């Protein structure tokens, strides 16, 4: 099955997604069309990536019969209207994280996808890296025992970036960065938390600046998640169990390494390092380890070949859970947007 992609928006993330697709066999993946707000921008993107069709505006992409699935790489605040447009036209959709600004928006998208009987998925690309696949295998095998503690941080000095500073587009650290430690915690524990508490600070524009979130899970397990848009944090994840621990070094959200320490006796420890290099591409990426988008894209193709409407590795129920956690965290620190009142 050759999956024909339509690309919605022509920004940096869309660039990296398309370049990552180029590392996969052309008989499996191709880009059929791209759409941007302006035809000029769409044509420039199409010329750069040798895409045959460029649209100014998104309606034409939604109506293009040569497109099997649409990848949405737009800003947070337009995920809902764009998903409704493409899902409403019966298109399969892969939308970048965070899927919606709150749980209500996510639920609205999911309901429409189910009504139209199409594939729908949030772009949690982290889960498809070979390193993350190995991580899940280690957890499933019980090599580090019962997981009791998960720690992750994601902080970068990006507060001056327009999309981060602007509340109107769903800015802030929680929605942009915080989704990564949240989805990782949900993956590690495999269930929704019992409680969520967040403390933090706001910027002058009213979006979150630095936050610390504590999640309590069943089986007396705790996750602590930190984000910041003003300082660089360790940007790694640590999973501690009763028989060992796993460290996912920076950048944990697009990992290529694992450090696994297990007990081999009453006092002895054994540490193994796993490395998973990424393939090279002919064109340039704009963000770290973006070749990893290829694993997410191929998983989507496999799901569609099997007739699935959602991906078991990044299911829609977890997207709802993540939206609930992020919404709770925003409420705790006083970051409110108009969409919360609808």
């Amino acid at each position: 099955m050759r999956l024909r992609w339509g690309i919605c928006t022509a920004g940096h993330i869309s660039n990296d997604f398309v370049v990552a697709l180029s590392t996969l066999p052309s008989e499996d993946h191709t880009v059929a069309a791209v759409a941007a707000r302006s035809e000029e921008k769409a044509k420039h993107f199409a010329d750069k990536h040798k895409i045959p069709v460029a649209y100014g505006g998104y309606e034409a992409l939604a109506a293009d019969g040569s497109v099997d699935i649409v990848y949405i790489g737009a800003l947070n605040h337009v995920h809902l209207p764009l998903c409704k447009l493409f899902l409403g036209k019966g298109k399969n959709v892969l939308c970048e994280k965070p899927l919606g600004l709150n749980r209500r928006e996510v639920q609205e998208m999911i309901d429409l996808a189910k009504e139209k009987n199409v594939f729908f998925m949030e772009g949690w690309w982290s889960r498809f890296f070979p390193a993350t696949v190995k991580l899940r295998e280690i957890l499933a095998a019980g090599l580090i025992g019962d997981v009791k503690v998960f720690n992750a941080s994601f902080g970068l000095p990006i507060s001056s970036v327009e999309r981060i500073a602007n509340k109107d587009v769903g800015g802030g650290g929680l929605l942009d960065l915080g989704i990564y430690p949240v989805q990782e915690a949900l993956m590690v524990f495999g269930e929704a938390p019992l409680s969520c508490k967040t403390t933090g600070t706001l910027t002058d524009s009213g979006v979150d600046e630095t936050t610390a979130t504590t999640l309590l899970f069943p089986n007396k397990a705790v996750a602590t998640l930190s984000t910041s848009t003003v300082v660089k944090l360790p940007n790694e994840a640590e999973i501690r169990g009763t028989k060992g621990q796993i460290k996912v070094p920076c950048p944990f959200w697009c990992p290529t390494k694992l450090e696994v320490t297990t007990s081999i006796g009453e006092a002895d420890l054994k540490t193994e390092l796993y490395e998973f290099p990424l393939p090279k591409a002919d064109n340039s990426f704009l963000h770290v380890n973006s070749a990893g988008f290829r694993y997410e894209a191929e998983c989507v193709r496999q799901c569609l070949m099997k007739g699935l409407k959602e991906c078991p590795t990044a299911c829609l129920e977890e997207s709802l859970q993540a939206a609930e956690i992020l919404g709770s965290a925003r409420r705790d620190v006083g970051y409110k947007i108009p969409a919360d009142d609808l």
Side-chain angles (χ1 to χ4, degrees), residues 43 115-116 196 198 262 276 341:
K43 285 184 175 179
E115 176 188 330
K116 296 297 183 178
C196 171
T198 300
T262 53
F276 305 86
D341 293 326

Side-chain angles (χ1 to χ4, degrees), residues 75-196:
L75 294 178
N76 298 343
H77 71 303
V78 291
H79 286 183
L80 177 62
L82 288 174
C83 283
K84 288 174 68 176
L85 169 63
F86 295 115
L87 293 171
K89 294 293 186 179
K91 293 295 187 190
N92 301 300
V93 170
L94 170 63
C95 181
E96 268 305 329
K97 54 77 200 165
L99 196 51
L101 296 177
N102 55 29
R103 183 186 174 99
R104 177 192 57 79
E105 288 194 351
V106 173
Q107 187 68 66
E108 187 174 345
M109 299 178 210
I110 291 174
D111 290 345
L112 182 57
K114 291 181 177 180
E115 176 188 330
K116 296 297 183 178
N117 195 33
V118 293
F119 178 86
F120 187 42
M121 178 179 143
E122 183 171 6
W124 287 352
W125 69 316
S126 308
R127 294 198 173 187
F128 303 93
F129 277 73
T132 310
V133 174
K134 182 65 177 180
L135 169 61
R136 288 198 298 272
E137 291 175 355
I138 293 170
L139 292 176
L143 294 183
I144 65 166
D146 294 330
V147 177
K148 294 296 185 180
V149 174
F150 174 80
N151 298 316
S153 65
F154 198 174
L156 297 169
I158 54 175
S159 59
S160 61
V161 176
E162 169 62 17
R163 65 179 174 81
I164 300 297
N166 191 347
K167 180 188 285 191
D168 292 337
V169 301
L174 283 166
L175 291 175
D176 192 78
L177 307 175
I179 183 62
Y180 287 106
V182 166
Q183 68 82 23
E184 191 98 346
L186 291 174
M187 181 189 72
V188 166
F189 292 112
E191 54 192 332
L194 301 172
S195 66
C196 171

Side-chain angles (χ1 to χ4, degrees), residues 227-248:
T227 67
S228 180
T229 62
V230 288
V231 296
K232 184 177 181 180
L233 296 176
N235 298 339
E236 57 189 26
E238 184 182 61
I239 306 160
R240 289 185 175 268
T242 54
K243 297 180 181 178
Q245 66 187 61
I246 304 170
K247 179 180 177 181
V248 188

Side-chain angles (χ1 to χ4, degrees), residues 4-18 21 30-64 66-67 69-74 86:
R4 301 171 299 178
W5 291 87
I7 306 300
C8 174
T9 72
H12 288 185
I13 294 298
S14 293
N15 173 89
D16 284 11
F17 186 82
V18 171
L21 288 179
T30 187
V31 180
V34 60
R37 282 179 296 176
S38 73
E39 187 174 4
E40 179 183 6
K41 190 172 183 180
K43 285 184 175 179
H44 177 75
F45 191 93
D47 290 342
K48 178 180 179 180
H49 297 287
K50 297 180 174 59
I51 300 170
V53 180
Y55 297 116
Y58 306 118
E59 290 282 351
L61 181 61
D64 190 331
S66 69
V67 170
I69 183 167
V70 175
Y71 168 80
I72 299 175
F86 295 115

Side-chain angles (χ1 to χ4, degrees), residues 158-326:
I158 54 175
S159 59
S160 61
V161 176
E162 169 62 17
R163 65 179 174 81
I164 300 297
N166 191 347
K167 180 188 285 191
D168 292 337
V169 301
L174 283 166
L175 291 175
D176 192 78
L177 307 175
I179 183 62
Y180 287 106
V182 166
Q183 68 82 23
E184 191 98 346
L186 291 174
M187 181 189 72
V188 166
F189 292 112
E191 54 192 332
L194 301 172
S195 66
C196 171
K197 295 181 180 179
T198 300
T199 59
T201 59
L202 300 178
T203 67
D204 292 340
S205 63
V207 301
D208 64 286
E209 181 176 276
T210 299
T211 64
T213 297
T214 301
L215 302 176
L216 176 64
F217 286 88
N219 196 31
K220 297 182 179 179
V222 175
T224 56
L225 319 174
S226 303
T227 67
S228 180
T229 62
V230 288
V231 296
K232 184 177 181 180
L233 296 176
N235 298 339
E236 57 189 26
E238 184 182 61
I239 306 160
R240 289 185 175 268
T242 54
K243 297 180 181 178
Q245 66 187 61
I246 304 170
K247 179 180 177 181
V248 188
C250 178
F252 85 91
W253 65 96
C254 47
T256 58
K257 297 178 182 179
L258 295 177
E259 297 175 16
V260 182
T261 302
T262 53
S263 302
I264 56 176
E266 289 189 3
D268 296 327
L269 298 174
K270 175 185 177 183
T271 299
E272 293 184 270
L273 176 64
Y274 298 90
E275 296 193 50
F276 305 86
L278 299 174
K280 304 296 183 182
D282 292 335
N283 291 329
S284 298
F285 292 108
L286 301 174
H287 298 283
V288 62
N289 290 350
S290 282
F293 277 120
R294 73 196 304 268
Y295 305 112
E296 175 185 60
E298 176 56 20
C299 186
V300 168
R301 189 178 79 95
Q302 293 296 326
C303 287
L304 290 173
M305 288 174 64
K306 297 171 184 175
L308 301 179
K309 303 306 178 184
E310 63 179 288
C311 176
T313 307
C315 68
L316 295 174
E317 178 58 33
E318 284 188 292
S319 289
L320 284 169
Q321 293 170 5
E324 180 67 36
I325 292 168
L326 292 173

